[in-house]
Amino acid sequence: DLHRVDRRQRQMCIRDSSSFFASPFVGYGFDSEENYGGIAVGIENGQNQFYLQYGGMSQSDFGVDIDLDTISIGYNFTNPISDTTNLYLGGSMGLGSIEASIDGFNALDNSVFYFDAKIGVEVALNDNVSLLAGVRYLYFAEPIEGFGALDDFALEVGAKFTF
């Protein structure tokens, strides 16, 4: 049946059975003007991806060192837009750790609520490797009382290894 074959070809990049994945990524924040990186590991089934994610960023300016680390759980919904390309929409929430030191002296060590939201494309190179590109919004709840939340928009790229 021609219709069945065409539908099957269109869903080549959506797996019918559950599989595990690891997805390292790097990004650049527009407001922070800093690079960040991380990794997500999880399981995908059809158009659904559930994952545990770690991310981190370090910034040093004028004797002030800031480290931001996150650990979160997340979900992505994927939708095929061609034979090898998916659109993804998702996000995660968890804990953000913020540490700051001034000239080597500890000035801040705080843990706060963290979440992110993202949208992007995933291009399958083969059955087990995909490249990712997207935009992510990152939010840290008020790390210092009275100074407001930290947030940023970022461009990011990554890879996904499925096994």
Short mmCIF file of all heavy atoms in Angstrom, two decimals, residues 58-121:
data_model
loop_
_atom_site.label_atom_id
_atom_site.label_comp_id
_atom_site.label_asym_id
_atom_site.label_seq_id
_atom_site.Cartn_x
_atom_site.Cartn_y
_atom_site.Cartn_z
N SER A 58 30.45 29.04 33.67
CA SER A 58 31.39 29.78 34.53
C SER A 58 31.66 31.13 33.90
O SER A 58 31.78 31.25 32.69
CB SER A 58 32.71 29.03 34.69
OG SER A 58 32.51 27.84 35.40
N GLN A 59 31.78 32.14 34.76
CA GLN A 59 32.05 33.49 34.29
C GLN A 59 33.04 34.16 35.22
O GLN A 59 32.92 34.05 36.44
CB GLN A 59 30.73 34.27 34.25
CG GLN A 59 30.86 35.67 33.75
CD GLN A 59 29.50 36.37 33.66
OE1 GLN A 59 28.48 35.83 34.04
NE2 GLN A 59 29.50 37.58 33.16
N SER A 60 34.04 34.83 34.68
CA SER A 60 35.04 35.56 35.47
C SER A 60 35.25 36.93 34.88
O SER A 60 35.58 37.06 33.70
CB SER A 60 36.38 34.83 35.46
OG SER A 60 36.35 33.73 36.30
N ASP A 61 35.03 37.95 35.69
CA ASP A 61 35.26 39.34 35.28
C ASP A 61 35.73 40.15 36.48
O ASP A 61 35.09 40.11 37.55
CB ASP A 61 33.98 39.98 34.73
CG ASP A 61 33.60 39.45 33.36
OD1 ASP A 61 34.50 39.32 32.51
OD2 ASP A 61 32.40 39.18 33.14
N PHE A 62 36.82 40.86 36.33
CA PHE A 62 37.28 41.82 37.33
C PHE A 62 37.38 41.23 38.73
O PHE A 62 36.97 41.85 39.71
CB PHE A 62 36.39 43.07 37.33
CG PHE A 62 36.22 43.67 35.98
CD1 PHE A 62 35.01 43.57 35.30
CD2 PHE A 62 37.28 44.32 35.34
CE1 PHE A 62 34.85 44.12 34.03
CE2 PHE A 62 37.13 44.86 34.08
CZ PHE A 62 35.92 44.77 33.42
N GLY A 63 37.90 40.02 38.86
CA GLY A 63 38.09 39.39 40.16
C GLY A 63 36.87 38.71 40.72
O GLY A 63 36.89 38.17 41.83
N VAL A 64 35.75 38.71 40.00
CA VAL A 64 34.52 38.05 40.43
C VAL A 64 34.35 36.79 39.60
O VAL A 64 34.31 36.84 38.37
CB VAL A 64 33.29 38.97 40.27
CG1 VAL A 64 32.02 38.24 40.67
CG2 VAL A 64 33.46 40.25 41.07
N ASP A 65 34.26 35.65 40.27
CA ASP A 65 34.05 34.36 39.61
C ASP A 65 32.67 33.85 39.96
O ASP A 65 32.30 33.78 41.14
CB ASP A 65 35.09 33.34 40.07
CG ASP A 65 36.51 33.76 39.73
OD1 ASP A 65 36.70 34.28 38.62
OD2 ASP A 65 37.40 33.56 40.57
N ILE A 66 31.90 33.47 38.95
CA ILE A 66 30.54 32.95 39.16
C ILE A 66 30.44 31.59 38.48
O ILE A 66 30.82 31.44 37.31
CB ILE A 66 29.48 33.90 38.58
CG1 ILE A 66 29.56 35.26 39.29
CG2 ILE A 66 28.09 33.30 38.73
CD1 ILE A 66 28.64 36.31 38.69
N ASP A 67 29.92 30.61 39.20
CA ASP A 67 29.65 29.28 38.66
C ASP A 67 28.16 28.99 38.81
O ASP A 67 27.61 29.10 39.91
CB ASP A 67 30.44 28.20 39.40
CG ASP A 67 31.92 28.28 39.12
OD1 ASP A 67 32.28 28.48 37.95
OD2 ASP A 67 32.71 28.14 40.07
N LEU A 68 27.52 28.63 37.70
CA LEU A 68 26.11 28.24 37.70
C LEU A 68 26.05 26.78 37.26
O LEU A 68 26.58 26.43 36.21
CB LEU A 68 25.31 29.09 36.73
CG LEU A 68 25.33 30.60 36.92
CD1 LEU A 68 24.63 31.29 35.76
CD2 LEU A 68 24.65 30.96 38.22
N ASP A 69 25.40 25.93 38.05
CA ASP A 69 25.21 24.53 37.70
C ASP A 69 23.75 24.19 37.87
O ASP A 69 23.09 24.70 38.78
CB ASP A 69 26.06 23.63 38.60
CG ASP A 69 27.54 23.82 38.37
OD1 ASP A 69 27.99 23.54 37.26
OD2 ASP A 69 28.23 24.27 39.31
N THR A 70 23.24 23.31 37.02
CA THR A 70 21.85 22.88 37.12
C THR A 70 21.75 21.37 37.03
O THR A 70 22.54 20.71 36.34
CB THR A 70 20.99 23.49 35.99
OG1 THR A 70 21.46 23.01 34.72
CG2 THR A 70 21.02 25.00 36.03
N ILE A 71 20.77 20.84 37.72
CA ILE A 71 20.36 19.44 37.57
C ILE A 71 18.83 19.48 37.46
O ILE A 71 18.17 20.12 38.28
CB ILE A 71 20.86 18.54 38.72
CG1 ILE A 71 20.54 17.07 38.44
CG2 ILE A 71 20.32 18.96 40.04
CD1 ILE A 71 21.50 16.40 37.54
N SER A 72 18.31 18.88 36.40
CA SER A 72 16.87 19.00 36.17
C SER A 72 16.33 17.76 35.46
O SER A 72 17.08 16.97 34.89
CB SER A 72 16.58 20.26 35.34
OG SER A 72 17.28 20.24 34.11
N ILE A 73 15.01 17.63 35.52
CA ILE A 73 14.32 16.60 34.75
C ILE A 73 13.54 17.30 33.65
O ILE A 73 13.07 18.43 33.83
CB ILE A 73 13.39 15.73 35.63
CG1 ILE A 73 12.38 16.58 36.38
CG2 ILE A 73 14.18 14.87 36.57
CD1 ILE A 73 11.31 15.79 37.09
N GLY A 74 13.44 16.66 32.48
CA GLY A 74 12.82 17.34 31.37
C GLY A 74 12.02 16.45 30.45
O GLY A 74 12.04 15.21 30.56
N TYR A 75 11.34 17.10 29.54
CA TYR A 75 10.50 16.45 28.54
C TYR A 75 10.60 17.21 27.23
O TYR A 75 10.59 18.45 27.23
CB TYR A 75 9.04 16.43 29.00
CG TYR A 75 8.08 15.97 27.93
CD1 TYR A 75 7.94 14.61 27.66
CD2 TYR A 75 7.36 16.87 27.18
CE1 TYR A 75 7.09 14.18 26.67
CE2 TYR A 75 6.50 16.45 26.18
CZ TYR A 75 6.37 15.11 25.92
OH TYR A 75 5.53 14.67 24.93
N ASN A 76 10.72 16.49 26.13
CA ASN A 76 10.64 17.06 24.78
C ASN A 76 9.55 16.35 24.00
O ASN A 76 9.42 15.12 24.08
CB ASN A 76 11.94 16.87 23.99
CG ASN A 76 13.06 17.75 24.46
OD1 ASN A 76 12.85 18.73 25.16
ND2 ASN A 76 14.27 17.39 24.08
N PHE A 77 8.78 17.11 23.24
CA PHE A 77 7.87 16.55 22.25
C PHE A 77 8.52 16.77 20.90
O PHE A 77 8.96 17.88 20.58
CB PHE A 77 6.51 17.25 22.30
CG PHE A 77 5.59 16.81 21.20
CD1 PHE A 77 4.94 15.59 21.29
CD2 PHE A 77 5.40 17.58 20.07
CE1 PHE A 77 4.10 15.15 20.28
CE2 PHE A 77 4.58 17.16 19.04
CZ PHE A 77 3.92 15.94 19.15
N THR A 78 8.62 15.73 20.08
CA THR A 78 9.22 15.84 18.76
C THR A 78 8.16 15.58 17.69
O THR A 78 7.27 14.76 17.88
CB THR A 78 10.39 14.86 18.57
OG1 THR A 78 9.92 13.53 18.73
CG2 THR A 78 11.50 15.14 19.57
N ASN A 79 8.28 16.30 16.58
CA ASN A 79 7.35 16.13 15.48
C ASN A 79 8.14 16.12 14.17
O ASN A 79 8.91 17.04 13.92
CB ASN A 79 6.34 17.29 15.48
CG ASN A 79 5.22 17.04 14.51
OD1 ASN A 79 4.65 15.96 14.47
ND2 ASN A 79 4.90 18.04 13.72
N PRO A 80 7.96 15.07 13.35
CA PRO A 80 8.72 15.02 12.09
C PRO A 80 8.25 16.10 11.12
O PRO A 80 7.05 16.33 10.97
CB PRO A 80 8.42 13.62 11.55
CG PRO A 80 7.17 13.18 12.22
CD PRO A 80 7.10 13.90 13.52
N ILE A 81 9.24 16.78 10.51
CA ILE A 81 8.91 17.76 9.47
C ILE A 81 9.47 17.34 8.12
O ILE A 81 9.16 17.97 7.11
CB ILE A 81 9.36 19.18 9.86
CG1 ILE A 81 10.85 19.25 10.18
CG2 ILE A 81 8.54 19.70 11.03
CD1 ILE A 81 11.36 20.64 10.51
N SER A 82 10.31 16.29 8.10
CA SER A 82 10.77 15.67 6.86
C SER A 82 11.24 14.26 7.21
O SER A 82 11.14 13.84 8.36
CB SER A 82 11.90 16.49 6.21
OG SER A 82 13.12 16.26 6.87
N ASP A 83 11.79 13.56 6.23
CA ASP A 83 12.25 12.19 6.46
C ASP A 83 13.35 12.10 7.51
O ASP A 83 13.47 11.10 8.20
CB ASP A 83 12.76 11.57 5.16
CG ASP A 83 11.64 11.31 4.17
OD1 ASP A 83 10.45 11.40 4.55
OD2 ASP A 83 11.96 11.05 3.00
N THR A 84 14.17 13.12 7.64
CA THR A 84 15.31 13.05 8.55
C THR A 84 15.32 14.17 9.59
O THR A 84 16.27 14.27 10.36
CB THR A 84 16.63 13.12 7.76
OG1 THR A 84 16.67 14.34 7.02
CG2 THR A 84 16.79 11.93 6.84
N THR A 85 14.28 15.02 9.61
CA THR A 85 14.29 16.19 10.49
C THR A 85 13.07 16.23 11.38
O THR A 85 11.94 16.05 10.92
CB THR A 85 14.36 17.48 9.65
OG1 THR A 85 15.49 17.40 8.77
CG2 THR A 85 14.50 18.70 10.54
N ASN A 86 13.32 16.47 12.67
CA ASN A 86 12.26 16.65 13.66
C ASN A 86 12.31 18.07 14.20
O ASN A 86 13.38 18.63 14.38
CB ASN A 86 12.43 15.72 14.86
CG ASN A 86 12.18 14.27 14.53
OD1 ASN A 86 11.43 13.95 13.62
ND2 ASN A 86 12.82 13.39 15.27
N LEU A 87 11.16 18.61 14.52
CA LEU A 87 11.05 19.83 15.30
C LEU A 87 10.84 19.38 16.74
O LEU A 87 10.08 18.44 16.99
CB LEU A 87 9.85 20.65 14.83
CG LEU A 87 9.56 21.94 15.60
CD1 LEU A 87 10.67 22.96 15.36
CD2 LEU A 87 8.22 22.51 15.15
N TYR A 88 11.55 19.99 17.70
CA TYR A 88 11.33 19.63 19.10
C TYR A 88 10.95 20.85 19.92
O TYR A 88 11.35 21.97 19.64
CB TYR A 88 12.53 18.90 19.71
CG TYR A 88 13.80 19.70 19.85
CD1 TYR A 88 14.01 20.55 20.93
CD2 TYR A 88 14.80 19.60 18.90
CE1 TYR A 88 15.19 21.28 21.05
CE2 TYR A 88 15.98 20.31 19.01
CZ TYR A 88 16.17 21.16 20.10
OH TYR A 88 17.33 21.88 20.21
N LEU A 89 10.13 20.60 20.93
CA LEU A 89 9.67 21.63 21.86
C LEU A 89 9.68 20.99 23.23
O LEU A 89 9.14 19.89 23.40
CB LEU A 89 8.26 22.08 21.48
CG LEU A 89 7.57 23.06 22.42
CD1 LEU A 89 8.31 24.40 22.41
CD2 LEU A 89 6.12 23.25 22.00
N GLY A 90 10.32 21.63 24.20
CA GLY A 90 10.39 21.01 25.51
C GLY A 90 10.93 21.93 26.58
O GLY A 90 11.02 23.15 26.38
N GLY A 91 11.27 21.32 27.68
CA GLY A 91 11.82 22.08 28.79
C GLY A 91 12.13 21.18 29.96
O GLY A 91 11.84 19.99 29.95
N SER A 92 12.74 21.78 30.97
CA SER A 92 13.09 21.03 32.16
C SER A 92 12.96 21.93 33.39
O SER A 92 12.93 23.15 33.27
CB SER A 92 14.50 20.45 32.06
OG SER A 92 15.48 21.47 32.17
N MET A 93 12.89 21.30 34.56
CA MET A 93 12.88 22.05 35.81
C MET A 93 13.66 21.27 36.85
O MET A 93 13.75 20.04 36.79
CB MET A 93 11.47 22.35 36.28
CG MET A 93 10.68 21.15 36.71
SD MET A 93 9.09 21.56 37.43
CE MET A 93 8.19 22.09 36.00
N GLY A 94 14.26 22.03 37.77
CA GLY A 94 15.05 21.38 38.79
C GLY A 94 15.72 22.38 39.71
O GLY A 94 15.14 23.42 40.05
N LEU A 95 16.95 22.09 40.04
CA LEU A 95 17.69 22.87 41.02
C LEU A 95 18.88 23.55 40.34
O LEU A 95 19.60 22.92 39.59
CB LEU A 95 18.19 21.93 42.13
CG LEU A 95 18.83 22.56 43.35
CD1 LEU A 95 17.82 23.41 44.11
CD2 LEU A 95 19.35 21.45 44.26
N GLY A 96 19.06 24.83 40.63
CA GLY A 96 20.21 25.57 40.15
C GLY A 96 21.10 25.95 41.32
O GLY A 96 20.62 26.41 42.35
N SER A 97 22.38 25.72 41.18
CA SER A 97 23.35 26.08 42.21
C SER A 97 24.16 27.26 41.70
O SER A 97 24.70 27.22 40.60
CB SER A 97 24.27 24.89 42.49
OG SER A 97 25.34 25.28 43.31
N ILE A 98 24.25 28.30 42.51
CA ILE A 98 24.97 29.51 42.14
C ILE A 98 26.03 29.78 43.19
O ILE A 98 25.73 29.91 44.38
CB ILE A 98 24.02 30.71 42.02
CG1 ILE A 98 22.96 30.41 40.96
CG2 ILE A 98 24.78 31.98 41.68
CD1 ILE A 98 21.87 31.42 40.86
N GLU A 99 27.28 29.81 42.74
CA GLU A 99 28.41 30.11 43.64
C GLU A 99 29.17 31.30 43.07
O GLU A 99 29.42 31.37 41.87
CB GLU A 99 29.35 28.91 43.74
CG GLU A 99 28.72 27.69 44.36
CD GLU A 99 29.67 26.50 44.39
OE1 GLU A 99 30.86 26.67 44.05
OE2 GLU A 99 29.21 25.42 44.72
N ALA A 100 29.52 32.24 43.95
CA ALA A 100 30.28 33.42 43.52
C ALA A 100 31.38 33.68 44.52
O ALA A 100 31.21 33.50 45.73
CB ALA A 100 29.36 34.63 43.41
N SER A 101 32.53 34.11 44.00
CA SER A 101 33.63 34.51 44.86
C SER A 101 34.23 35.81 44.31
O SER A 101 34.20 36.07 43.12
CB SER A 101 34.70 33.43 44.94
OG SER A 101 35.26 33.18 43.68
N ILE A 102 34.72 36.62 45.24
CA ILE A 102 35.35 37.89 44.88
C ILE A 102 36.79 37.83 45.35
O ILE A 102 37.05 37.66 46.55
CB ILE A 102 34.61 39.08 45.53
CG1 ILE A 102 33.16 39.10 45.06
CG2 ILE A 102 35.32 40.40 45.19
CD1 ILE A 102 32.29 40.10 45.77
N ASP A 103 37.71 37.92 44.41
CA ASP A 103 39.15 37.81 44.70
C ASP A 103 39.47 36.59 45.56
O ASP A 103 40.24 36.66 46.51
CB ASP A 103 39.66 39.10 45.37
CG ASP A 103 39.62 40.28 44.42
OD1 ASP A 103 39.85 40.07 43.21
OD2 ASP A 103 39.37 41.40 44.89
N GLY A 104 38.80 35.46 45.25
CA GLY A 104 39.07 34.20 45.95
C GLY A 104 38.28 33.97 47.22
O GLY A 104 38.34 32.89 47.80
N PHE A 105 37.52 34.96 47.69
CA PHE A 105 36.72 34.79 48.91
C PHE A 105 35.27 34.47 48.55
O PHE A 105 34.67 35.15 47.70
CB PHE A 105 36.77 36.07 49.77
CG PHE A 105 38.13 36.36 50.30
CD1 PHE A 105 38.93 37.32 49.69
CD2 PHE A 105 38.63 35.67 51.40
CE1 PHE A 105 40.20 37.59 50.16
CE2 PHE A 105 39.89 35.93 51.88
CZ PHE A 105 40.69 36.89 51.26
N ASN A 106 34.70 33.46 49.19
CA ASN A 106 33.34 33.02 48.92
C ASN A 106 32.35 34.13 49.26
O ASN A 106 32.28 34.58 50.40
CB ASN A 106 33.03 31.75 49.70
CG ASN A 106 31.73 31.12 49.27
OD1 ASN A 106 31.20 31.44 48.21
ND2 ASN A 106 31.20 30.24 50.09
N ALA A 107 31.58 34.59 48.26
CA ALA A 107 30.60 35.66 48.48
C ALA A 107 29.17 35.15 48.42
O ALA A 107 28.27 35.78 48.97
CB ALA A 107 30.80 36.76 47.44
N LEU A 108 28.94 34.01 47.75
CA LEU A 108 27.58 33.50 47.59
C LEU A 108 27.65 32.01 47.30
O LEU A 108 28.47 31.56 46.52
CB LEU A 108 26.88 34.21 46.42
CG LEU A 108 25.51 33.71 46.00
CD1 LEU A 108 24.49 34.00 47.10
CD2 LEU A 108 25.07 34.38 44.71
N ASP A 109 26.78 31.26 47.94
CA ASP A 109 26.61 29.83 47.68
C ASP A 109 25.15 29.53 47.94
O ASP A 109 24.73 29.39 49.08
CB ASP A 109 27.53 29.01 48.58
CG ASP A 109 27.55 27.54 48.19
OD1 ASP A 109 26.79 27.16 47.29
OD2 ASP A 109 28.34 26.79 48.79
N ASN A 110 24.36 29.46 46.87
CA ASN A 110 22.92 29.37 47.03
C ASN A 110 22.34 28.39 46.01
O ASN A 110 22.83 28.29 44.89
CB ASN A 110 22.30 30.76 46.82
CG ASN A 110 20.94 30.90 47.44
OD1 ASN A 110 20.41 29.96 48.01
ND2 ASN A 110 20.37 32.09 47.35
N SER A 111 21.29 27.69 46.40
CA SER A 111 20.55 26.81 45.50
C SER A 111 19.14 27.35 45.33
O SER A 111 18.51 27.76 46.31
CB SER A 111 20.49 25.38 46.06
OG SER A 111 21.78 24.83 46.12
N VAL A 112 18.68 27.38 44.08
CA VAL A 112 17.38 27.97 43.76
C VAL A 112 16.64 27.11 42.74
O VAL A 112 17.22 26.24 42.10
CB VAL A 112 17.55 29.41 43.20
CG1 VAL A 112 18.17 30.33 44.23
CG2 VAL A 112 18.37 29.42 41.92
N PHE A 113 15.35 27.40 42.55
CA PHE A 113 14.55 26.76 41.52
C PHE A 113 15.07 27.19 40.15
O PHE A 113 15.40 28.35 39.92
CB PHE A 113 13.08 27.17 41.68
CG PHE A 113 12.20 26.70 40.56
CD1 PHE A 113 11.84 25.37 40.44
CD2 PHE A 113 11.74 27.60 39.61
CE1 PHE A 113 11.04 24.94 39.40
CE2 PHE A 113 10.93 27.19 38.56
CZ PHE A 113 10.57 25.84 38.47
N TYR A 114 15.14 26.24 39.23
CA TYR A 114 15.62 26.48 37.87
C TYR A 114 14.63 25.87 36.88
O TYR A 114 14.05 24.81 37.13
CB TYR A 114 16.99 25.81 37.68
CG TYR A 114 17.38 25.65 36.22
CD1 TYR A 114 17.98 26.68 35.53
CD2 TYR A 114 17.14 24.46 35.54
CE1 TYR A 114 18.33 26.55 34.20
CE2 TYR A 114 17.48 24.32 34.20
CZ TYR A 114 18.07 25.36 33.55
OH TYR A 114 18.41 25.23 32.22
N PHE A 115 14.41 26.55 35.75
CA PHE A 115 13.71 25.89 34.64
C PHE A 115 14.21 26.45 33.32
O PHE A 115 14.82 27.52 33.27
CB PHE A 115 12.18 26.00 34.77
CG PHE A 115 11.58 27.29 34.27
CD1 PHE A 115 11.24 27.46 32.94
CD2 PHE A 115 11.34 28.33 35.15
CE1 PHE A 115 10.68 28.64 32.49
CE2 PHE A 115 10.77 29.51 34.71
CZ PHE A 115 10.44 29.66 33.37
N ASP A 116 13.97 25.69 32.27
CA ASP A 116 14.27 26.15 30.92
C ASP A 116 13.18 25.70 29.97
O ASP A 116 12.43 24.78 30.27
CB ASP A 116 15.66 25.68 30.46
CG ASP A 116 15.78 24.19 30.28
OD1 ASP A 116 14.89 23.57 29.65
OD2 ASP A 116 16.77 23.61 30.75
N ALA A 117 13.07 26.37 28.86
CA ALA A 117 12.16 26.01 27.78
C ALA A 117 12.96 26.13 26.49
O ALA A 117 13.83 27.00 26.36
CB ALA A 117 10.96 26.95 27.75
N LYS A 118 12.69 25.23 25.54
CA LYS A 118 13.49 25.24 24.32
C LYS A 118 12.69 24.80 23.11
O LYS A 118 11.67 24.12 23.23
CB LYS A 118 14.71 24.34 24.48
CG LYS A 118 14.39 22.89 24.76
CD LYS A 118 15.64 22.09 25.05
CE LYS A 118 15.30 20.66 25.41
NZ LYS A 118 16.49 19.87 25.63
N ILE A 119 13.18 25.23 21.95
CA ILE A 119 12.61 24.83 20.67
C ILE A 119 13.77 24.71 19.69
O ILE A 119 14.74 25.48 19.77
CB ILE A 119 11.54 25.82 20.16
CG1 ILE A 119 10.86 25.28 18.90
CG2 ILE A 119 12.13 27.20 19.95
CD1 ILE A 119 9.63 26.06 18.49
N GLY A 120 13.70 23.72 18.80
CA GLY A 120 14.78 23.55 17.85
C GLY A 120 14.50 22.45 16.84
O GLY A 120 13.38 21.94 16.76
N VAL A 121 15.53 22.12 16.09
CA VAL A 121 15.43 21.06 15.09
C VAL A 121 16.49 19.99 15.37
O VAL A 121 17.57 20.28 15.87
CB VAL A 121 15.59 21.59 13.64
CG1 VAL A 121 14.43 22.47 13.25
CG2 VAL A 121 16.90 22.31 13.45
#
